[in-house]
Amino acid sequence: MNILKPKLINVDGRQYRHLTQVNLSNTETNIEKETGIAPYIEEDFYYYDEPESCRNDVNSIEKAKTGFILHIKDIPSYYFKFILGKGGEQKQMIENQTKTVLKLPKKGQDGDIEISGNNQSGILTAQSKIINIIDLNRRDQPSTHFLSINLVSDGLKESFNLFKNKVIQLHSRGIENSIFQLPERLHLTLCMLQFLNDLELSNILVSITQITKDLYSKHFCNEEKLCIHLKGLEYMNDDPSEVDVLYAKVEDSTKRIQNFVDELVKTLSSFPCVRKEKESVKLHATLMNTIFRFEDTNNCSNFDKPNKCGKKQRVTFDARDIFESFEDFDFARIPINSIDINVRGRFESNGLYRKSAAISLV
């Protein structure tokens, strides 16, 4: 067929071009009959217009008895309400637009999201939409981990217990045993972290480790070691007679430690899992906190809802006598060998924070 000279049809004085219809579902078409050349058929599998991250997941698509299946692994239940939408409208819209079927775990359960369909490009598009929904809402998800400097040492434990016993003997208002931090959990929090699952943590750990080691070498010479000197007290609010949090300060006259952790958190904040809340990291080790009052922290293991572990309403304490007697209390010098990634609200049997990873500094 010469498409430049089509057959013309006259209808009520108007002329219309008549082109031979091509039925791609037939094994032999009019074009093939006339030219002897098989027509071009667009493959069903294409994804050139999908985001780069989705293209790389093509190998994750499995062939099923009818069509294809892809699993988005280990998604927290927190996100399912956003994927479902009000009355399931969001889920239905994704399914209609991509010609797929989405299967989510039961309500309240973490797990895989299954995407099935006859068209691989549709499956990848559905995956892209789901990942976008997760990315848009992950800033509101509670933190699951935190980056910290562990201060546990025999010297600090001894001095902390001495400080605790002396403070209790002051008999100041609101001070009793339960508001003191456990010596096994004394630490400096650098930033909060938020991982969708263990796979995301393992995938990003190599990058976090390398960045940490490079910046540590930049700020500290090879023959020098990071050493945290805890000395002196400070509190969070303005009135020393109505205190909720009392902490030990970090002696850092050269600002080398401060500069190191600030640059570290700033660099890591490019990752979506890292939450940078302030321009500068507040280096402090919490010693007393009224949020601990009458709380059994050893049994608190729900890191998704850390504020529902038996905590009571805050009742402040009077810290004026503490500052009068121990304002310059020297706790200890602690050599630091690693920076840790700890699970928020999860503890080992010995009271230590559950550790997901340790980045060695030696």
Side-chain angles (χ1 to χ4, degrees), residues 164-197:
K164 175 181 175 180
N165 292 333
K166 289 185 175 182
V167 168
I168 291 177
Q169 292 172 10
L170 294 174
H171 301 292
S172 298
R173 179 188 58 80
I175 295 178
E176 44 82 26
N177 186 68
S178 70
I179 68 173
F180 287 86
Q181 177 66 283
L182 297 180
E184 295 83 7
R185 297 178 191 169
L186 291 169
H187 68 279
L188 306 178
T189 298
L190 304 186
C191 64
M192 304 306 293
L193 303 170
Q194 177 199 77
F195 296 108
L196 294 181
N197 46 46

PDB file of all heavy atoms in Angstrom, residues 164-197:
ATOM      1  N   LYS A 164      24.709   9.548  91.572  1.00  0.00           N
ATOM      2  CA  LYS A 164      23.304   9.197  91.814  1.00  0.00           C
ATOM      3  C   LYS A 164      23.018   9.066  93.311  1.00  0.00           C
ATOM      4  O   LYS A 164      22.028   9.622  93.820  1.00  0.00           O
ATOM      5  CB  LYS A 164      22.978   7.892  91.097  1.00  0.00           C
ATOM      6  CG  LYS A 164      21.586   7.359  91.358  1.00  0.00           C
ATOM      7  CD  LYS A 164      21.372   6.043  90.612  1.00  0.00           C
ATOM      8  CE  LYS A 164      20.021   5.428  90.960  1.00  0.00           C
ATOM      9  NZ  LYS A 164      19.809   4.141  90.230  1.00  0.00           N
ATOM     10  N   ASN A 165      23.877   8.346  94.025  1.00  0.00           N
ATOM     11  CA  ASN A 165      23.661   8.142  95.463  1.00  0.00           C
ATOM     12  C   ASN A 165      23.719   9.458  96.234  1.00  0.00           C
ATOM     13  O   ASN A 165      22.913   9.695  97.148  1.00  0.00           O
ATOM     14  CB  ASN A 165      24.703   7.171  96.015  1.00  0.00           C
ATOM     15  CG  ASN A 165      24.516   5.755  95.475  1.00  0.00           C
ATOM     16  OD1 ASN A 165      23.403   5.365  95.122  1.00  0.00           O
ATOM     17  ND2 ASN A 165      25.598   4.997  95.399  1.00  0.00           N
ATOM     18  N   LYS A 166      24.642  10.327  95.849  1.00  0.00           N
ATOM     19  CA  LYS A 166      24.753  11.614  96.537  1.00  0.00           C
ATOM     20  C   LYS A 166      23.555  12.511  96.253  1.00  0.00           C
ATOM     21  O   LYS A 166      23.092  13.238  97.137  1.00  0.00           O
ATOM     22  CB  LYS A 166      26.055  12.310  96.130  1.00  0.00           C
ATOM     23  CG  LYS A 166      27.309  11.660  96.699  1.00  0.00           C
ATOM     24  CD  LYS A 166      28.554  12.471  96.347  1.00  0.00           C
ATOM     25  CE  LYS A 166      29.792  11.881  97.020  1.00  0.00           C
ATOM     26  NZ  LYS A 166      31.010  12.689  96.717  1.00  0.00           N
ATOM     27  N   VAL A 167      23.065  12.478  95.032  1.00  0.00           N
ATOM     28  CA  VAL A 167      21.904  13.299  94.670  1.00  0.00           C
ATOM     29  C   VAL A 167      20.656  12.830  95.419  1.00  0.00           C
ATOM     30  O   VAL A 167      19.874  13.649  95.923  1.00  0.00           O
ATOM     31  CB  VAL A 167      21.676  13.266  93.147  1.00  0.00           C
ATOM     32  CG1 VAL A 167      20.316  13.864  92.793  1.00  0.00           C
ATOM     33  CG2 VAL A 167      22.780  14.024  92.430  1.00  0.00           C
ATOM     34  N   ILE A 168      20.456  11.518  95.511  1.00  0.00           N
ATOM     35  CA  ILE A 168      19.295  10.989  96.224  1.00  0.00           C
ATOM     36  C   ILE A 168      19.328  11.396  97.693  1.00  0.00           C
ATOM     37  O   ILE A 168      18.291  11.697  98.309  1.00  0.00           O
ATOM     38  CB  ILE A 168      19.215   9.462  96.066  1.00  0.00           C
ATOM     39  CG1 ILE A 168      18.856   9.096  94.611  1.00  0.00           C
ATOM     40  CG2 ILE A 168      18.191   8.859  97.021  1.00  0.00           C
ATOM     41  CD1 ILE A 168      18.827   7.615  94.333  1.00  0.00           C
ATOM     42  N   GLN A 169      20.529  11.464  98.242  1.00  0.00           N
ATOM     43  CA  GLN A 169      20.677  11.851  99.651  1.00  0.00           C
ATOM     44  C   GLN A 169      20.331  13.307  99.918  1.00  0.00           C
ATOM     45  O   GLN A 169      20.141  13.700 101.077  1.00  0.00           O
ATOM     46  CB  GLN A 169      22.113  11.562 100.124  1.00  0.00           C
ATOM     47  CG  GLN A 169      22.443  10.076 100.212  1.00  0.00           C
ATOM     48  CD  GLN A 169      23.904   9.814 100.500  1.00  0.00           C
ATOM     49  OE1 GLN A 169      24.668  10.743 100.828  1.00  0.00           O
ATOM     50  NE2 GLN A 169      24.315   8.559 100.401  1.00  0.00           N
ATOM     51  N   LEU A 170      20.220  14.116  98.868  1.00  0.00           N
ATOM     52  CA  LEU A 170      19.837  15.509  99.049  1.00  0.00           C
ATOM     53  C   LEU A 170      18.359  15.650  99.419  1.00  0.00           C
ATOM     54  O   LEU A 170      17.950  16.690  99.951  1.00  0.00           O
ATOM     55  CB  LEU A 170      20.111  16.301  97.757  1.00  0.00           C
ATOM     56  CG  LEU A 170      21.576  16.452  97.334  1.00  0.00           C
ATOM     57  CD1 LEU A 170      21.662  17.135  95.969  1.00  0.00           C
ATOM     58  CD2 LEU A 170      22.362  17.242  98.371  1.00  0.00           C
ATOM     59  N   HIS A 171      17.561  14.647  99.092  1.00  0.00           N
ATOM     60  CA  HIS A 171      16.125  14.621  99.404  1.00  0.00           C
ATOM     61  C   HIS A 171      15.402  15.834  98.817  1.00  0.00           C
ATOM     62  O   HIS A 171      14.497  16.397  99.452  1.00  0.00           O
ATOM     63  CB  HIS A 171      15.904  14.557 100.917  1.00  0.00           C
ATOM     64  CG  HIS A 171      16.520  13.360 101.571  1.00  0.00           C
ATOM     65  ND1 HIS A 171      16.072  12.074 101.355  1.00  0.00           N
ATOM     66  CD2 HIS A 171      17.584  13.263 102.424  1.00  0.00           C
ATOM     67  CE1 HIS A 171      16.821  11.224 102.048  1.00  0.00           C
ATOM     68  NE2 HIS A 171      17.744  11.910 102.707  1.00  0.00           N
ATOM     69  N   SER A 172      15.795  16.220  97.607  1.00  0.00           N
ATOM     70  CA  SER A 172      15.124  17.339  96.933  1.00  0.00           C
ATOM     71  C   SER A 172      13.791  16.863  96.353  1.00  0.00           C
ATOM     72  O   SER A 172      13.611  15.676  96.068  1.00  0.00           O
ATOM     73  CB  SER A 172      16.006  17.908  95.826  1.00  0.00           C
ATOM     74  OG  SER A 172      17.209  18.433  96.358  1.00  0.00           O
ATOM     75  N   ARG A 173      12.875  17.800  96.158  1.00  0.00           N
ATOM     76  CA  ARG A 173      11.551  17.477  95.658  1.00  0.00           C
ATOM     77  C   ARG A 173      11.614  16.801  94.280  1.00  0.00           C
ATOM     78  O   ARG A 173      12.303  17.254  93.386  1.00  0.00           O
ATOM     79  CB  ARG A 173      10.707  18.745  95.536  1.00  0.00           C
ATOM     80  CG  ARG A 173       9.293  18.496  94.985  1.00  0.00           C
ATOM     81  CD  ARG A 173       8.563  19.782  94.693  1.00  0.00           C
ATOM     82  NE  ARG A 173       9.267  20.621  93.736  1.00  0.00           N
ATOM     83  CZ  ARG A 173       9.238  20.430  92.414  1.00  0.00           C
ATOM     84  NH1 ARG A 173       8.571  19.413  91.907  1.00  0.00           N
ATOM     85  NH2 ARG A 173       9.904  21.253  91.615  1.00  0.00           N
ATOM     86  N   GLY A 174      10.867  15.725  94.134  1.00  0.00           N
ATOM     87  CA  GLY A 174      10.707  15.066  92.848  1.00  0.00           C
ATOM     88  C   GLY A 174      11.828  14.134  92.454  1.00  0.00           C
ATOM     89  O   GLY A 174      11.793  13.557  91.362  1.00  0.00           O
ATOM     90  N   ILE A 175      12.829  13.959  93.311  1.00  0.00           N
ATOM     91  CA  ILE A 175      13.973  13.108  92.958  1.00  0.00           C
ATOM     92  C   ILE A 175      13.826  11.743  93.616  1.00  0.00           C
ATOM     93  O   ILE A 175      13.706  11.639  94.840  1.00  0.00           O
ATOM     94  CB  ILE A 175      15.304  13.757  93.387  1.00  0.00           C
ATOM     95  CG1 ILE A 175      15.543  15.043  92.602  1.00  0.00           C
ATOM     96  CG2 ILE A 175      16.460  12.788  93.172  1.00  0.00           C
ATOM     97  CD1 ILE A 175      16.797  15.779  92.988  1.00  0.00           C
ATOM     98  N   GLU A 176      13.786  10.715  92.797  1.00  0.00           N
ATOM     99  CA  GLU A 176      13.807   9.337  93.285  1.00  0.00           C
ATOM    100  C   GLU A 176      14.464   8.452  92.232  1.00  0.00           C
ATOM    101  O   GLU A 176      14.793   8.907  91.134  1.00  0.00           O
ATOM    102  CB  GLU A 176      12.395   8.867  93.653  1.00  0.00           C
ATOM    103  CG  GLU A 176      11.299   9.212  92.663  1.00  0.00           C
ATOM    104  CD  GLU A 176      11.228   8.238  91.513  1.00  0.00           C
ATOM    105  OE1 GLU A 176      11.639   7.087  91.697  1.00  0.00           O
ATOM    106  OE2 GLU A 176      10.787   8.625  90.429  1.00  0.00           O
ATOM    107  N   ASN A 177      14.662   7.213  92.567  1.00  0.00           N
ATOM    108  CA  ASN A 177      15.526   6.318  91.797  1.00  0.00           C
ATOM    109  C   ASN A 177      15.130   6.182  90.331  1.00  0.00           C
ATOM    110  O   ASN A 177      15.990   6.121  89.449  1.00  0.00           O
ATOM    111  CB  ASN A 177      15.534   4.939  92.470  1.00  0.00           C
ATOM    112  CG  ASN A 177      16.519   3.992  91.811  1.00  0.00           C
ATOM    113  OD1 ASN A 177      17.722   4.178  91.896  1.00  0.00           O
ATOM    114  ND2 ASN A 177      15.986   2.971  91.163  1.00  0.00           N
ATOM    115  N   SER A 178      13.831   6.156  90.043  1.00  0.00           N
ATOM    116  CA  SER A 178      13.394   5.801  88.691  1.00  0.00           C
ATOM    117  C   SER A 178      13.710   6.852  87.638  1.00  0.00           C
ATOM    118  O   SER A 178      13.692   6.545  86.442  1.00  0.00           O
ATOM    119  CB  SER A 178      11.883   5.522  88.687  1.00  0.00           C
ATOM    120  OG  SER A 178      11.149   6.714  88.895  1.00  0.00           O
ATOM    121  N   ILE A 179      13.986   8.103  88.008  1.00  0.00           N
ATOM    122  CA  ILE A 179      14.234   9.131  86.991  1.00  0.00           C
ATOM    123  C   ILE A 179      15.688   9.167  86.533  1.00  0.00           C
ATOM    124  O   ILE A 179      16.041   9.949  85.648  1.00  0.00           O
ATOM    125  CB  ILE A 179      13.793  10.529  87.478  1.00  0.00           C
ATOM    126  CG1 ILE A 179      14.690  11.010  88.629  1.00  0.00           C
ATOM    127  CG2 ILE A 179      12.341  10.536  87.879  1.00  0.00           C
ATOM    128  CD1 ILE A 179      14.396  12.455  89.027  1.00  0.00           C
ATOM    129  N   PHE A 180      16.537   8.333  87.111  1.00  0.00           N
ATOM    130  CA  PHE A 180      17.940   8.274  86.688  1.00  0.00           C
ATOM    131  C   PHE A 180      18.097   7.315  85.507  1.00  0.00           C
ATOM    132  O   PHE A 180      17.456   6.247  85.465  1.00  0.00           O
ATOM    133  CB  PHE A 180      18.837   7.806  87.837  1.00  0.00           C
ATOM    134  CG  PHE A 180      19.049   8.831  88.908  1.00  0.00           C
ATOM    135  CD1 PHE A 180      18.146   8.974  89.951  1.00  0.00           C
ATOM    136  CD2 PHE A 180      20.152   9.672  88.867  1.00  0.00           C
ATOM    137  CE1 PHE A 180      18.331   9.924  90.939  1.00  0.00           C
ATOM    138  CE2 PHE A 180      20.350  10.625  89.849  1.00  0.00           C
ATOM    139  CZ  PHE A 180      19.428  10.757  90.888  1.00  0.00           C
ATOM    140  N   GLN A 181      18.951   7.690  84.581  1.00  0.00           N
ATOM    141  CA  GLN A 181      19.288   6.811  83.464  1.00  0.00           C
ATOM    142  C   GLN A 181      20.055   5.603  83.988  1.00  0.00           C
ATOM    143  O   GLN A 181      20.773   5.690  84.996  1.00  0.00           O
ATOM    144  CB  GLN A 181      20.148   7.569  82.442  1.00  0.00           C
ATOM    145  CG  GLN A 181      20.629   6.761  81.253  1.00  0.00           C
ATOM    146  CD  GLN A 181      19.498   6.313  80.357  1.00  0.00           C
ATOM    147  OE1 GLN A 181      18.787   5.361  80.706  1.00  0.00           O
ATOM    148  NE2 GLN A 181      19.331   6.975  79.219  1.00  0.00           N
ATOM    149  N   LEU A 182      19.897   4.454  83.321  1.00  0.00           N
ATOM    150  CA  LEU A 182      20.727   3.302  83.662  1.00  0.00           C
ATOM    151  C   LEU A 182      22.146   3.555  83.158  1.00  0.00           C
ATOM    152  O   LEU A 182      22.330   4.036  82.035  1.00  0.00           O
ATOM    153  CB  LEU A 182      20.170   2.036  83.023  1.00  0.00           C
ATOM    154  CG  LEU A 182      18.778   1.585  83.475  1.00  0.00           C
ATOM    155  CD1 LEU A 182      18.381   0.311  82.739  1.00  0.00           C
ATOM    156  CD2 LEU A 182      18.741   1.364  84.969  1.00  0.00           C
ATOM    157  N   PRO A 183      23.165   3.249  83.979  1.00  0.00           N
ATOM    158  CA  PRO A 183      24.548   3.518  83.540  1.00  0.00           C
ATOM    159  C   PRO A 183      24.920   2.785  82.254  1.00  0.00           C
ATOM    160  O   PRO A 183      25.774   3.246  81.494  1.00  0.00           O
ATOM    161  CB  PRO A 183      25.395   3.051  84.726  1.00  0.00           C
ATOM    162  CG  PRO A 183      24.509   2.150  85.525  1.00  0.00           C
ATOM    163  CD  PRO A 183      23.120   2.661  85.320  1.00  0.00           C
ATOM    164  N   GLU A 184      24.258   1.650  81.960  1.00  0.00           N
ATOM    165  CA  GLU A 184      24.542   0.887  80.742  1.00  0.00           C
ATOM    166  C   GLU A 184      24.038   1.601  79.491  1.00  0.00           C
ATOM    167  O   GLU A 184      24.403   1.218  78.378  1.00  0.00           O
ATOM    168  CB  GLU A 184      23.891  -0.500  80.817  1.00  0.00           C
ATOM    169  CG  GLU A 184      24.433  -1.410  81.887  1.00  0.00           C
ATOM    170  CD  GLU A 184      23.809  -1.148  83.254  1.00  0.00           C
ATOM    171  OE1 GLU A 184      22.844  -0.338  83.318  1.00  0.00           O
ATOM    172  OE2 GLU A 184      24.268  -1.759  84.236  1.00  0.00           O
ATOM    173  N   ARG A 185      23.203   2.623  79.668  1.00  0.00           N
ATOM    174  CA  ARG A 185      22.615   3.296  78.519  1.00  0.00           C
ATOM    175  C   ARG A 185      23.090   4.737  78.352  1.00  0.00           C
ATOM    176  O   ARG A 185      22.512   5.497  77.577  1.00  0.00           O
ATOM    177  CB  ARG A 185      21.087   3.271  78.631  1.00  0.00           C
ATOM    178  CG  ARG A 185      20.534   1.867  78.600  1.00  0.00           C
ATOM    179  CD  ARG A 185      19.036   1.837  78.766  1.00  0.00           C
ATOM    180  NE  ARG A 185      18.592   0.465  78.999  1.00  0.00           N
ATOM    181  CZ  ARG A 185      17.376   0.138  79.387  1.00  0.00           C
ATOM    182  NH1 ARG A 185      16.463   1.080  79.589  1.00  0.00           N
ATOM    183  NH2 ARG A 185      17.054  -1.128  79.596  1.00  0.00           N
ATOM    184  N   LEU A 186      24.123   5.112  79.061  1.00  0.00           N
ATOM    185  CA  LEU A 186      24.652   6.462  78.897  1.00  0.00           C
ATOM    186  C   LEU A 186      25.282   6.589  77.511  1.00  0.00           C
ATOM    187  O   LEU A 186      26.103   5.761  77.107  1.00  0.00           O
ATOM    188  CB  LEU A 186      25.681   6.765  79.988  1.00  0.00           C
ATOM    189  CG  LEU A 186      25.103   6.909  81.406  1.00  0.00           C
ATOM    190  CD1 LEU A 186      26.221   6.945  82.443  1.00  0.00           C
ATOM    191  CD2 LEU A 186      24.244   8.166  81.512  1.00  0.00           C
ATOM    192  N   HIS A 187      24.891   7.624  76.786  1.00  0.00           N
ATOM    193  CA  HIS A 187      25.347   7.770  75.399  1.00  0.00           C
ATOM    194  C   HIS A 187      25.168   9.218  74.954  1.00  0.00           C
ATOM    195  O   HIS A 187      24.502  10.020  75.611  1.00  0.00           O
ATOM    196  CB  HIS A 187      24.551   6.849  74.476  1.00  0.00           C
ATOM    197  CG  HIS A 187      23.109   7.250  74.353  1.00  0.00           C
ATOM    198  ND1 HIS A 187      22.152   6.921  75.298  1.00  0.00           N
ATOM    199  CD2 HIS A 187      22.444   7.993  73.419  1.00  0.00           C
ATOM    200  CE1 HIS A 187      20.987   7.423  74.950  1.00  0.00           C
ATOM    201  NE2 HIS A 187      21.128   8.077  73.805  1.00  0.00           N
ATOM    202  N   LEU A 188      25.750   9.530  73.800  1.00  0.00           N
ATOM    203  CA  LEU A 188      25.524  10.804  73.118  1.00  0.00           C
ATOM    204  C   LEU A 188      24.749  10.507  71.842  1.00  0.00           C
ATOM    205  O   LEU A 188      25.213   9.739  70.998  1.00  0.00           O
ATOM    206  CB  LEU A 188      26.852  11.485  72.761  1.00  0.00           C
ATOM    207  CG  LEU A 188      27.875  11.708  73.878  1.00  0.00           C
ATOM    208  CD1 LEU A 188      29.127  12.355  73.297  1.00  0.00           C
ATOM    209  CD2 LEU A 188      27.298  12.557  74.991  1.00  0.00           C
ATOM    210  N   THR A 189      23.573  11.072  71.712  1.00  0.00           N
ATOM    211  CA  THR A 189      22.791  10.894  70.482  1.00  0.00           C
ATOM    212  C   THR A 189      23.251  11.906  69.439  1.00  0.00           C
ATOM    213  O   THR A 189      23.282  13.112  69.706  1.00  0.00           O
ATOM    214  CB  THR A 189      21.288  11.090  70.752  1.00  0.00           C
ATOM    215  OG1 THR A 189      20.855  10.092  71.685  1.00  0.00           O
ATOM    216  CG2 THR A 189      20.487  10.946  69.466  1.00  0.00           C
ATOM    217  N   LEU A 190      23.609  11.423  68.250  1.00  0.00           N
ATOM    218  CA  LEU A 190      24.046  12.307  67.168  1.00  0.00           C
ATOM    219  C   LEU A 190      22.888  12.670  66.244  1.00  0.00           C
ATOM    220  O   LEU A 190      22.745  13.823  65.839  1.00  0.00           O
ATOM    221  CB  LEU A 190      25.168  11.638  66.368  1.00  0.00           C
ATOM    222  CG  LEU A 190      26.398  11.206  67.187  1.00  0.00           C
ATOM    223  CD1 LEU A 190      27.491  10.688  66.251  1.00  0.00           C
ATOM    224  CD2 LEU A 190      26.921  12.346  68.045  1.00  0.00           C
ATOM    225  N   CYS A 191      22.063  11.699  65.882  1.00  0.00           N
ATOM    226  CA  CYS A 191      20.887  11.972  65.058  1.00  0.00           C
ATOM    227  C   CYS A 191      19.970  10.766  65.089  1.00  0.00           C
ATOM    228  O   CYS A 191      20.392   9.653  65.417  1.00  0.00           O
ATOM    229  CB  CYS A 191      21.265  12.327  63.625  1.00  0.00           C
ATOM    230  SG  CYS A 191      22.068  10.987  62.712  1.00  0.00           S
ATOM    231  N   MET A 192      18.718  10.996  64.723  1.00  0.00           N
ATOM    232  CA  MET A 192      17.743   9.918  64.644  1.00  0.00           C
ATOM    233  C   MET A 192      17.747   9.335  63.230  1.00  0.00           C
ATOM    234  O   MET A 192      18.029  10.029  62.253  1.00  0.00           O
ATOM    235  CB  MET A 192      16.350  10.424  64.994  1.00  0.00           C
ATOM    236  CG  MET A 192      16.252  11.096  66.347  1.00  0.00           C
ATOM    237  SD  MET A 192      16.872  10.074  67.707  1.00  0.00           S
ATOM    238  CE  MET A 192      15.660   8.754  67.724  1.00  0.00           C
ATOM    239  N   LEU A 193      17.433   8.046  63.145  1.00  0.00           N
ATOM    240  CA  LEU A 193      17.437   7.326  61.872  1.00  0.00           C
ATOM    241  C   LEU A 193      16.100   6.626  61.675  1.00  0.00           C
ATOM    242  O   LEU A 193      15.405   6.295  62.640  1.00  0.00           O
ATOM    243  CB  LEU A 193      18.560   6.283  61.848  1.00  0.00           C
ATOM    244  CG  LEU A 193      19.978   6.801  62.082  1.00  0.00           C
ATOM    245  CD1 LEU A 193      20.938   5.632  62.285  1.00  0.00           C
ATOM    246  CD2 LEU A 193      20.435   7.658  60.919  1.00  0.00           C
ATOM    247  N   GLN A 194      15.790   6.381  60.429  1.00  0.00           N
ATOM    248  CA  GLN A 194      14.504   5.779  60.096  1.00  0.00           C
ATOM    249  C   GLN A 194      14.688   4.831  58.918  1.00  0.00           C
ATOM    250  O   GLN A 194      14.936   5.263  57.797  1.00  0.00           O
ATOM    251  CB  GLN A 194      13.516   6.887  59.748  1.00  0.00           C
ATOM    252  CG  GLN A 194      12.156   6.427  59.322  1.00  0.00           C
ATOM    253  CD  GLN A 194      11.441   7.530  58.576  1.00  0.00           C
ATOM    254  OE1 GLN A 194      11.728   7.767  57.418  1.00  0.00           O
ATOM    255  NE2 GLN A 194      10.531   8.222  59.240  1.00  0.00           N
ATOM    256  N   PHE A 195      14.624   3.536  59.187  1.00  0.00           N
ATOM    257  CA  PHE A 195      14.803   2.535  58.147  1.00  0.00           C
ATOM    258  C   PHE A 195      13.479   1.812  57.901  1.00  0.00           C
ATOM    259  O   PHE A 195      12.764   1.465  58.840  1.00  0.00           O
ATOM    260  CB  PHE A 195      15.874   1.522  58.541  1.00  0.00           C
ATOM    261  CG  PHE A 195      17.244   2.131  58.695  1.00  0.00           C
ATOM    262  CD1 PHE A 195      17.819   2.293  59.949  1.00  0.00           C
ATOM    263  CD2 PHE A 195      17.952   2.573  57.590  1.00  0.00           C
ATOM    264  CE1 PHE A 195      19.073   2.862  60.095  1.00  0.00           C
ATOM    265  CE2 PHE A 195      19.213   3.149  57.728  1.00  0.00           C
ATOM    266  CZ  PHE A 195      19.771   3.287  58.985  1.00  0.00           C
ATOM    267  N   LEU A 196      13.174   1.572  56.624  1.00  0.00           N
ATOM    268  CA  LEU A 196      11.958   0.835  56.287  1.00  0.00           C
ATOM    269  C   LEU A 196      12.070  -0.614  56.726  1.00  0.00           C
ATOM    270  O   LEU A 196      11.100  -1.214  57.172  1.00  0.00           O
ATOM    271  CB  LEU A 196      11.699   0.902  54.784  1.00  0.00           C
ATOM    272  CG  LEU A 196      11.376   2.269  54.198  1.00  0.00           C
ATOM    273  CD1 LEU A 196      11.135   2.155  52.709  1.00  0.00           C
ATOM    274  CD2 LEU A 196      10.167   2.887  54.887  1.00  0.00           C
ATOM    275  N   ASN A 197      13.269  -1.185  56.610  1.00  0.00           N
ATOM    276  CA  ASN A 197      13.473  -2.592  56.946  1.00  0.00           C
ATOM    277  C   ASN A 197      14.966  -2.856  57.072  1.00  0.00           C
ATOM    278  O   ASN A 197      15.798  -1.963  56.862  1.00  0.00           O
ATOM    279  CB  ASN A 197      12.850  -3.500  55.882  1.00  0.00           C
ATOM    280  CG  ASN A 197      13.202  -3.040  54.469  1.00  0.00           C
ATOM    281  OD1 ASN A 197      14.355  -2.735  54.178  1.00  0.00           O
ATOM    282  ND2 ASN A 197      12.207  -2.983  53.588  1.00  0.00           N
TER     283      ASN A 197
END
